[in-house]
């Protein structure tokens, strides 16, 4: 068993830390931003494979995560719930490419759809993750397994550690010298709960409505290459207008807060081992719009790569 330094305390770094510790490794996590300050804390966070490639690996990782999150949903403290919901389409659409990742998918008939402008859609039960709760639970799990979490901004990946897991999200632009990693800015509005118990998503959007225990996350945007973390009031208004078209009950919901996060997008998610001198670096970043959806799947793969070294 190795001593592993995980760089990054978003959902990707923490799930890697949990799985590595469960496999018997000694794990320390270091991060510039603590979990509730990360992009992961902004995620909606619906299980849904979005803006992540390649299709085959993403489908397999998503399926693994679905199963892991479904098991966690038995314990309220994890922040995971299994909720029904519907993905809507404005034109007839084929089955989704990630069809194999969900146990069941029901095609809606036109009469079950909310009406104009939607003509097609499918429903399925998906994990919905309340990120502030889940991230706290992940930290507690790491610590329960003997791991540590320390705030530390690194200028480069450490070269003294036996094994380093690079889960630095967008930070890998610098730490791994990877210019293919780009931000995809996402803005969301949190509104008060108005009794919603199912999620909605308009695939042409991104427009999504994700209910949580005390509020509802309404999104969103996906601005390629945009670094600005300030919420834009005009964009927030547009987000709400489009969401109300899909879920009219939201018209009476009070706005609670605005959030912006930068998705770490890359032409392909990078889960790959690299030897450096006497040590090993396992990169695990570039999860785009699906970090939560892929998290447990990529964490399992990181454990395999560390174990195989
Ligand atoms: C608005 C929005 C909605 C989203 N909705 C969903 C959703 O519904 N479902 C879903 O699956 N995904 C969703 N996502 C995507 C998801 O949030 C990301 O894919 C995920 O958070 C990426 O996680 P990460 O751990 O790789 O990165 P991050 O959460 O960004 O964490 C990176 C970590 O690395 C650390 N780090 C970086 N550089 C350094 C350094 N130099 N030294 C030390 N530490 C460093 C950071 O401080 C941080 O701790 C959404 C994203 C946004 C913005």
């Amino acid at each position: 068993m190795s001593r592993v330094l995980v760089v990054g305390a978003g959902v990707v770094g923490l799930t890697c830390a949990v799985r590595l510790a469960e496999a018997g490794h000694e794990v320390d996590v270091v991060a510039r931003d603590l979990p509730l300050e990360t992009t992961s804390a902004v995620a909606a966070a619906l299980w849904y494979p979005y803006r992540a490639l390649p299709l085959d690996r993403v489908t397999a990782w998503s399926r693994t995560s679905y199963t892991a999150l479904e098991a966690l949903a038995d314990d309220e403290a994890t922040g995971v719930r299994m909720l029904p919901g519907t993905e809507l389409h404005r034109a007839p659409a084929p089955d989704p490419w990630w069809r194999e990742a969900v146990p069941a998918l029901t095609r809606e008939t036109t009469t079950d759809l909310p009406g104009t402008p939607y003509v097609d859609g499918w429903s399925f039960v998906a994990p919905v993750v309340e990120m502030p709760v889940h991230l706290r639970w992940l930290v507690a799990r790491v610590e329960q397994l003997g791991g540590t979490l320390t705030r530390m901004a690194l200028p480069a990946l450490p070269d003294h550690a036996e094994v380093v897991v690079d889960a630095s999200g967008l930070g890998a632009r610098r730490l791994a010298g990877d210019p293919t990693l780009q931000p995809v800015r996402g803005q969301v509005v949190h509104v008060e709960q108005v009794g919603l118990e199912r999620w909605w998503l308009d695939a042409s959007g991104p427009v999504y409505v994700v209910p949580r225990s005390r509020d509802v996350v309404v999104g969103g945007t996906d601005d390629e290459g945009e670094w600005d973390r300030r919420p834009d009031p005009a964009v927030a208004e547009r987000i709400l207008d489009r969401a109300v078209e899909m879920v009219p009950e939201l018209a009476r919901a009070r706005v609670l807060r605005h959030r912006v996060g930068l998705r770490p997008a890359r032409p392909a998610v990078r889960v790959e081992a690299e030897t450096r001198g006497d040590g090993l670096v396992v990169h695990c970043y570039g999860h785009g719009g699906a970090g939560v959806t892929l998290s447990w799947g990529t964490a399992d793969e990181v454990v395999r790569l560390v174990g195989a070294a």
Side-chain angles (χ1 to χ4, degrees):
M1 291 301 147
S2 312
R3 179 156 202 149
V4 184
L5 187 71
V6 176
V7 180
V11 70
V12 173
L14 292 175
T15 49
C16 286
V18 168
R19 285 292 188 253
L20 285 162
E22 284 173 349
H25 299 288
E26 238 179 279
V27 179
D28 298 300
V29 181
V30 295
R32 184 193 57 214
D33 308 296
L34 294 178
L36 297 186
E37 304 160 353
T38 61
T39 298
S40 299
V42 179
L46 172 68
W47 178 99
Y48 183 77
Y50 176 63
R51 284 197 95 99
L53 290 166
L55 302 186
D56 53 346
R57 289 180 96 190
V58 165
T59 303
W61 290 325
S62 301
R63 186 170 44 222
T64 302
S65 292
Y66 188 108
T67 308
L69 291 168
E70 190 176 29
L72 292 181
D74 289 341
D75 177 1
E76 205 183 317
T78 63
V80 184
R81 289 195 300 162
M82 298 301 289
L83 289 185
T86 304
E87 174 175 332
L88 295 167
H89 290 269
R90 292 161 187 255
D95 270 7
W97 52 266
W98 43 263
R99 169 71 189 87
E100 296 308 315
V102 284
L105 192 74
T106 312
R107 189 130 218 146
E108 296 297 346
T109 59
T110 329
T111 46
D112 294 323
L113 297 170
T116 320
Y118 303 111
V119 298
D120 203 357
W122 44 74
S123 296
F124 58 99
V125 173
V128 170
V129 185
E130 194 146 344
M131 289 310 286
V133 180
H134 191 56
L135 290 167
R136 278 194 205 98
W137 178 82
L138 286 170
V139 172
R141 179 81 184 125
V142 169
E143 290 172 348
Q144 183 190 43
L145 291 161
T148 65
L149 167 62
T150 308
R151 185 194 286 276
M152 196 186 297
L154 301 177
L157 289 175
D159 48 18
H160 57 272
E162 199 181 334
V163 180
V164 173
V165 172
D166 169 18
S168 58
L170 215 42
R173 265 178 77 85
R174 177 171 176 194
L175 293 183
D178 186 345
T180 69
L181 199 57
Q182 289 291 333
V184 176
R185 180 183 181 280
Q187 180 169 332
V188 291
V189 184
H190 294 178
V191 301
E192 66 179 338
Q193 248 295 8
V194 283
L196 296 188
E197 279 299 320
R198 57 168 16 255
W199 54 266
W200 294 93
L201 193 145
D202 174 343
S204 70
V207 185
Y208 47 86
V209 173
V210 181
R212 306 198 295 189
S213 56
R214 286 197 223 135
D215 55 15
V216 179
V217 184
V218 181
T221 58
D222 55 359
D223 308 315
E224 300 272 351
E226 181 56 68
W227 289 91
D228 193 346
R229 288 173 188 264
R230 288 167 304 176
D232 179 333
V235 170
E237 212 168 299
R238 204 168 63 235
I239 288 172
L240 286 171
D241 285 349
R242 290 187 311 176
V244 168
E245 187 179 33
M246 190 165 67
V247 184
E249 299 98 294
L250 286 175
R252 62 187 160 90
R254 198 162 44 94
V255 172
L256 301 177
R257 61 192 87 84
H258 301 269
R259 291 283 181 271
V260 170
L262 305 179
R263 302 176 183 92
R266 197 176 180 272
V269 181
R270 186 174 189 200
V271 184
E272 188 181 25
E274 186 189 1
T275 42
R276 286 204 179 179
D278 295 338
L280 177 79
V281 174
V282 178
H283 298 282
C284 186
Y285 64 81
H287 292 59
V292 182
T293 309
L294 306 178
S295 56
W296 294 104
T298 52
D300 281 355
E301 189 151 341
V302 165
V303 174
R304 278 195 292 277
L305 290 170
V306 170

